[in-house]
Amino acid sequence: MRHPLFAKIAALAAVTLLLLFGLGLIEDVVRDRQRYRAEATRSVAQSLAGPQTLLGPMLHSACVESWDVVSGSGAERHTTEQRREFLLTALPEQLQLRTGAAMEERARGLHKVNAYTLKAHVTAQWASLASLRPEGTVKGSRMQCGAPILMVGVGDARGIRTAQVEVDGQALALKPGTFHPVYARGLHTPLPEALRGQDGPVSASLDLELVGTERLAIVPLGGTTEVQMQSGWPHPSFGGRFLPSERQVTGAGFTARWRLSSLATTAQQDVAESRKICDSAPADSLSYDAGESGGKGQGPGGCTDSFSVGFIDPVNPYSLSDRATKYGVLFIALTFVAVGLFELMGNGPHAPPLRGSLPPEGAAFLSGGGPAMKKLRVHPVQYLLVGSALCSFFLLLVSLSEHLPFGASYAIAATACVLLLGYYASHMLGSLRRGVPFGALIGLLYGLLYVLLQLEQTALVVGALSLFTVLAAVMVLTRRVNWYGLSPARPAQAAPEAA
C-alpha cells in the first residue's frame, strides 16, 4: 500500500462513524425509557390524581338582569324581553393556609412516581359581602340571583379525600362541583341568602385532605395571603410567579412560608375576570391553558397568578444517563487519542521488540533521527473493539440504574469497562506496563464524567478546564515527534545518466 498512514486514518474515520451510529442507538434507548417513565407518570395520574391546584375559598352568585324593550307604535307595538347574565364574586380580605404534605411513592413497573397527601387547614375572612349585592344597569330592570355559594377549586377532584367547612362557626355540608363557569372542579356549599345583606365580617374555615402527584400550586386569592407548608420531602422545587419569603430545606424535609399582598399580585383581578390557571401540568386540571408570553394578564398568556412546589426526584437515572451519553463522542475521541499516543510513543528508539508485531513498512523517526524500529501497530478492528466497550458502558449504566441506585450502577458499569479495557490493552499494546496505565486513564475519564454529572452550575467550567488539561498533556508528550517521519519515505529518483 503506497500510503498506509492515510489508509489507517480513513479506517479510523469509518470506525468512528460506526461507533457514533451505535451511540445514537443507545441514546434512542434512553429516550424510550424516559418516554416509558412519562407514560408511567401519566398512568398513575389517571388512576390516582394529577398535579393539584388549590383555589379559594371564594364566594360567588349567578345573577340575571332582565328588562322590557318596547318597539313599534300603535297596533304594531310589541314588547321584547332582554336579559344579561353575570357572576358576582367576593374574594377574601385575609387568606391563611397551613399545609403539610406526606409523600406516598407509587410505581408502574420499574418506574416510581412521587404522589403526596396534602392536609390543609384554610381560613378566610371577608370584611363584608357588598360585592355580592347586584346593581342594575337598566332603569326598571328585574334582578334575580341565585343563593351565594362558597366554593373551593382544585386541579383534580378525584384527589379529594375528606373535607369539612364552617362558616361563622356553623358546620355546613359540602357538595361536589363549584357551579363556577371556569373553575368547575372542586366542592361547594350553598349559603343562606341572609348573608348577602350582612354588613359585618364573614369568616370560613376549611379542613381538606387532598391527594396529588408531583406538583402542588396555590392561587394567592386574598388581599393578604399567608401560606405555610411543610413536608418530609428533601428536594422541593419552588416555582410559579412567587418564591417563598422564608424557606428551610434539610435532609429531613422542608418548611416554606409565603406572604403576599394583593398589591404584588393580580390574582384577585384574574379570578374576578375568570382567567385560566396555567401552573398545573395536565390539560384536564382545574382550568389549564398552556399559554404563551404576553396576553392581558400579568402572568404568561393572561393566566392567573399562582405559585407552586414540585416534589421532584433530583437523581433521575434517565436524565443522568442521557447527560452521560452526550459525552460518549468525547470519550471515544479521548480514548483513541490515548491509544494513538501509546502506539506512537511505543515506537521510540528504546522500545523493545513486540511479540507478534508485523514487519514495519516504513521507519518511524522521532525528531533528531534514530534507528529504524519495529512499529507498535494497533489495527482498526482493535480500535473498534475498544470503542464498542466504551459504548457498552452507557447501555450498562441505564439498564443497571433501573434496578440499583445511580451511584452503584455507575460504579459497577465503570469498573467492568475499566477492567475489560485494561486487560485488552495489555495484549493490544504488547505489555502489562502499557495496559495498566491505559486502564488507569480510562478510569480517570469515568471519574471525571461522574463529577460532571453531579455538578450543575460549574459543570461547564470543570469540563472546559479538563479538556484544556488533556490537550496540554498531548502537546507536551508529542512535542518532539517528527510527524513527517510517520509516513514512509519515498525512494529517491535516480539521476539521469549523462549523455
Side-chain angles (χ1 to χ4, degrees):
M1 185 176 294
R2 297 183 59 184
H3 303 287
L5 178 61
F6 296 123
K8 186 169 185 177
I9 291 175
L12 290 181
V15 167
T16 302
L17 291 176
L18 187 60
L19 293 175
L20 290 179
F21 178 74
L23 278 177
L25 294 179
I26 295 175
E27 289 181 353
D28 290 340
V29 170
V30 175
R31 295 192 191 98
D32 287 340
R33 308 306 286 186
Q34 287 178 315
R35 186 165 58 252
Y36 295 153
R37 184 181 186 277
E39 292 176 357
T41 302
R42 286 193 294 269
S43 176
V44 171
Q46 290 174 357
S47 302
L48 182 65
Q52 294 286 9
T53 300
L54 190 58
L55 169 69
M58 61 178 283
L59 302 175
H60 69 82
S61 178
C63 297
V64 177
E65 180 184 12
S66 60
W67 63 93
D68 296 330
V69 176
V70 179
S71 60
S73 60
E76 296 181 355
R77 181 178 179 178
H78 60 277
T79 303
T80 58
E81 183 184 61
Q82 295 188 358
R83 52 191 293 157
R84 177 178 70 95
E85 297 181 358
F86 57 98
L87 186 71
L88 298 175
T89 58
L91 305 179
E93 290 292 331
Q94 296 183 358
L95 181 63
Q96 295 181 339
L97 292 89
R98 299 290 183 267
T99 63
M103 302 307 298
E104 297 180 0
E105 190 176 84
R106 304 299 175 94
R108 283 290 187 271
L110 297 174
H111 308 289
K112 299 178 181 179
V113 180
N114 292 330
Y116 60 85
T117 298
L118 180 76
K119 293 185 177 180
H121 178 71
V122 186
T123 58
Q125 294 181 353
W126 292 262
S128 69
L129 300 185
S131 59
L132 292 182
R133 300 167 190 169
E135 296 182 359
T137 58
V138 179
K139 185 178 180 179
S141 62
R142 299 175 295 276
M143 196 74 64
Q144 293 180 344
C145 293
I149 291 176
L150 184 144
M151 62 154 281
V152 176
V154 297
D156 193 337
R158 295 174 304 159
I160 299 175
R161 291 295 179 261
T162 61
Q164 297 177 348
V165 65
E166 292 184 358
V167 177
D168 287 340
Q170 181 181 359
L172 299 177
L174 287 167
K175 300 179 180 180
T178 64
F179 286 99
H180 193 282
V182 176
Y183 315 118
R185 297 177 182 270
L187 43 83
H188 79 281
T189 182
L191 300 180
E193 183 65 30
L195 283 178
R196 193 192 302 270
Q198 182 174 320
D199 293 329
V202 177
S203 63
S205 64
L206 173 73
D207 290 312
L208 177 66
E209 184 174 335
L210 186 67
V211 176
T213 55
E214 294 194 331
R215 192 175 183 86
L216 170 67
I218 298 175
V219 178
L221 200 57
T224 58
T225 302
E226 295 185 9
V227 178
Q228 182 175 345
M229 182 181 300
Q230 62 181 9
S231 173
W233 186 251
H235 310 292
S237 176
F238 302 106
R241 298 283 291 169
F242 305 96
L243 293 177
S245 55
E246 301 175 14
R247 63 178 177 179
Q248 183 178 6
V249 181
T250 65
F254 74 91
T255 300
R257 184 188 299 271
W258 290 262
R259 294 188 182 93
L260 297 174
S261 169
S262 58
L263 299 176
T265 173
T266 61
Q268 287 193 332
Q269 298 93 313
D270 297 337
V271 172
E273 297 176 9
S274 299
R275 290 178 180 164
K276 296 180 181 297
I277 299 175
C278 307
D279 197 60
S280 297
D284 59 349
S285 63
L286 180 63
S287 179
Y288 174 76
D289 188 6
E292 297 178 357
S293 298
K296 298 184 296 181
Q298 297 296 324
C303 300
T304 301
D305 275 357
S306 63
F307 56 88
S308 62
V309 177
F311 302 94
I312 65 170
D313 187 355
V315 189
N316 185 337
Y318 300 112
S319 61
L320 291 177
S321 298
D322 184 60
R323 288 179 58 192
T325 307
K326 296 183 185 301
Y327 290 97
V329 177
L330 182 61
F331 255 56
I332 293 174
L334 292 178
T335 303
F336 281 11
V337 168
V339 174
L341 285 176
F342 277 100
E343 184 177 0
L344 176 65
M345 305 309 291
N347 293 314
H350 304 290
L354 299 178
R355 182 179 62 184
S357 59
L358 298 177
E361 297 181 1
F365 295 91
L366 300 178
S367 74
M373 303 297 301
K374 285 186 176 182
K375 295 189 66 176
L376 170 63
R377 295 171 60 86
V378 179
H379 196 275
V381 172
Q382 294 174 307
Y383 278 94
L384 176 62
L385 293 175
V386 170
S388 299
L390 293 174
C391 292
S392 67
F393 161 77
F394 302 103
L395 193 58
L396 282 173
L397 178 61
V398 67
S399 60
L400 291 174
S401 61
E402 292 183 339
H403 304 275
L404 301 173
F406 183 81
S409 303
Y410 191 98
I412 294 174
T415 301
C417 290
V418 167
L419 292 177
L420 175 61
L421 288 173
Y423 170 78
Y424 187 71
S426 299
H427 295 271
M428 177 181 67
L429 300 177
S431 68
L432 189 63
R433 67 182 181 87
R434 296 191 186 99
V436 171
F438 179 81
L441 288 176
I442 299 299
L444 182 62
L445 281 179
Y446 282 126
L448 176 61
L449 176 60
Y450 186 80
V451 172
L452 291 177
L453 293 179
Q454 303 305 310
L455 298 177
E456 293 184 2
Q457 304 297 329
T458 58
L460 180 59
V461 65
V462 172
L465 291 176
S466 302
L467 282 178
F468 180 81
T469 302
V470 171
L471 177 61
V474 172
M475 294 177 68
V476 170
L477 290 174
T478 60
R479 67 189 184 279
R480 297 184 182 276
V481 172
N482 178 13
W483 296 100
Y484 285 106
L486 298 179
S487 300
R490 292 185 179 181
Q493 296 182 357
E497 297 180 358

